[in-house]
Amino acid sequence: MKLTIIIPVYKTEKTLDRCVESILSQDYSDYEIILVDDGSPDLCPEKCDAWAEHDSRIRVIHKKNGGLSEARNAGINVAQGDFLTFVDSDDMIAPNTLAALMNKIAHDERIQILEYPVSIKGKNMFIPHNLHYDNIQKYWTECEGYRHTYVWNKIFRRPLFDDIRFPVGKVFEDAWIYPLLLQKAQSVTTTSEGCYVYTDNPQGITAKAGADDLIMLLESNIDRGMTVDDAYYLYILNIQLDVYRLSGKILLQERKDISISNIRSLSDKIKVITLKLFGIKGLCRIHKALRHLL
């Protein structure tokens, strides 16, 4: 039951070693690590080769720079494991994580996708309950799967990627691919065991996203084949507001049937009331004007 761990590498010479070491020190050893050097211009290519010489479970792919999606796809194409997972080269996996996760998989043949906790700066960012969802729409809405579409805190059965790859040329690629994987798997299991240690990157796409980037994120959440309940619509609406502020574009279909009674946030209540009164274009204009004043 081998696990393939795919690590795209680009301009992370300061963090690559700790990332790989966090995996090699795990109390689970039936894995292969694929380091995908995505044309990194620093010392990463040499570091990757050094790690491959150090441990026979590590393989290296050197390729021309093509972006995160292309790098991950290159790893998927040569993966030999029964299961796949992804780790960014500036992140780590907490001690004793892989054994706990793979043991859970070994004792539950239903598992197609296993999602586990995330920490950032020493604090819990996301801890799912120990649940199994045979209804992915229920997972998407009740567990708010749309808020944690990232692939790096999940283990996938390899066949899910037989005809699915990360979209080359798009940012927020996880938000594009994860709904497709869910629809193919038709189930997802969540666990409170283990932890993915995420490193906040102030230079990353999430922190520095511009208009075109946010348009891609908005598009990834529109017509993904998932149920759009009130909470999910509000999540998408907030992205639309930022898209309008930066580009003047409105892509989200207007809805005025949202119930205010179940909305906890005061700011969201105000947005819904404004939406009902002035429509989505009016809401976008008001939001942009207020942001400009602030």
Side-chain angles (χ1 to χ4, degrees):
M1 193 176 64
K2 180 181 286 187
L3 173 67
T4 294
I5 303 168
I6 297 172
I7 306 177
V9 180
Y10 185 73
K11 289 186 177 181
T12 51
E13 62 179 24
K14 294 181 179 179
T15 60
L16 177 60
D17 288 345
R18 75 178 186 189
C19 173
V20 176
E21 287 167 357
S22 76
I23 298 171
L24 296 181
S25 63
Q26 293 287 314
D27 52 351
Y28 179 83
S29 59
D30 189 15
Y31 58 74
E32 63 171 354
I33 297 174
I34 301 177
L35 297 174
V36 185
D37 163 34
D38 191 32
S40 190
D42 54 8
L43 294 177
C44 283
E46 291 83 353
K47 283 180 173 286
C48 289
D49 290 337
W51 276 115
E53 292 179 8
H54 173 76
D55 195 303
S56 61
R57 293 171 297 180
I58 299 177
R59 290 191 286 158
V60 179
I61 296 174
H62 294 290
K63 60 180 291 297
K64 182 180 179 181
N65 178 251
L68 181 58
S69 287
E70 194 174 287
R72 284 175 172 169
N73 291 341
I76 294 170
N77 292 341
V78 300
Q80 297 178 355
D82 303 305
F83 295 86
L84 296 182
T85 193
F86 303 88
V87 179
D88 286 352
S89 54
D90 53 356
D91 296 337
M92 296 177 289
I93 296 179
N96 308 316
T97 290
L98 292 183
L101 298 178
M102 296 308 291
N103 181 63
K104 189 173 185 68
I105 288 173
H107 289 88
D108 191 345
E109 63 182 13
R110 300 174 303 169
I111 295 178
Q112 296 289 316
I113 300 173
L114 181 62
E115 180 175 37
Y116 64 101
V118 180
S119 70
I120 180 171
K121 295 181 179 179
K123 297 181 179 180
N124 295 326
M125 172 181 166
F126 169 68
I127 303 180
H129 297 294
N130 296 302
L131 295 170
H132 177 78
Y133 295 89
D134 283 319
N135 185 326
I136 60 169
Q137 303 292 355
K138 186 175 181 180
Y139 161 77
W140 195 251
T141 55
E142 291 188 6
C143 193
E144 295 186 337
Y146 50 85
R147 294 188 182 274
H148 38 94
T149 58
Y150 22 81
V151 298
W152 30 253
N153 72 321
K154 299 171 179 70
I155 295 178
F156 304 87
R157 285 193 182 270
R158 174 63 179 83
L160 293 176
F161 287 90
D162 283 351
D163 56 357
I164 294 177
R165 290 294 186 272
F166 288 89
V168 176
K170 292 186 181 296
V171 295
F172 295 106
E173 52 283 309
D174 293 4
W176 285 91
I177 196 174
Y178 190 45
L180 300 178
L181 293 168
L182 283 172
Q183 290 170 43
K184 185 172 181 180
Q186 286 300 303
S187 71
V188 60
T189 304
T190 60
T191 179
S192 60
E193 296 183 82
C195 188
Y196 184 95
V197 183
Y198 177 80
T199 301
D200 189 29
N201 181 5
Q203 300 302 315
I205 185 61
T206 301
K208 301 183 69 175
D212 291 341
D213 303 320
L214 289 175
I215 286 173
M216 289 186 193
L217 178 60
L218 180 58
E219 289 174 341
S220 75
N221 280 279
I222 295 175
D223 194 25
R224 291 286 89 193
M226 295 297 186
T227 299
V228 181
D229 66 352
D230 289 354
Y232 183 29
Y233 184 82
L234 281 173
Y235 172 81
I236 304 174
L237 179 62
N238 284 326
I239 302 172
Q240 170 62 79
L241 293 175
D242 286 333
V243 166
Y244 182 84
R245 176 173 56 85
L246 295 174
S247 71
K249 295 182 178 180
I250 297 177
L251 305 179
L252 181 62
Q253 185 175 353
E254 182 176 292
R255 272 185 54 184
K256 293 186 177 181
D257 60 341
I258 300 174
S259 174
I260 299 177
S261 59
N262 294 325
I263 301 174
R264 297 179 181 179
S265 166
L266 177 60
S267 63
D268 281 342
K269 286 181 182 290
I270 294 172
K271 287 173 187 174
V272 171
I273 293 171
T274 306
L275 177 66
K276 289 176 177 290
L277 290 174
F278 302 104
I280 194 166
K281 190 171 185 178
L283 171 61
C284 286
R285 286 177 170 175
I286 292 169
H287 180 266
K288 182 177 180 179
L290 290 174
R291 285 292 298 267
H292 180 72
L293 290 174
L294 296 174

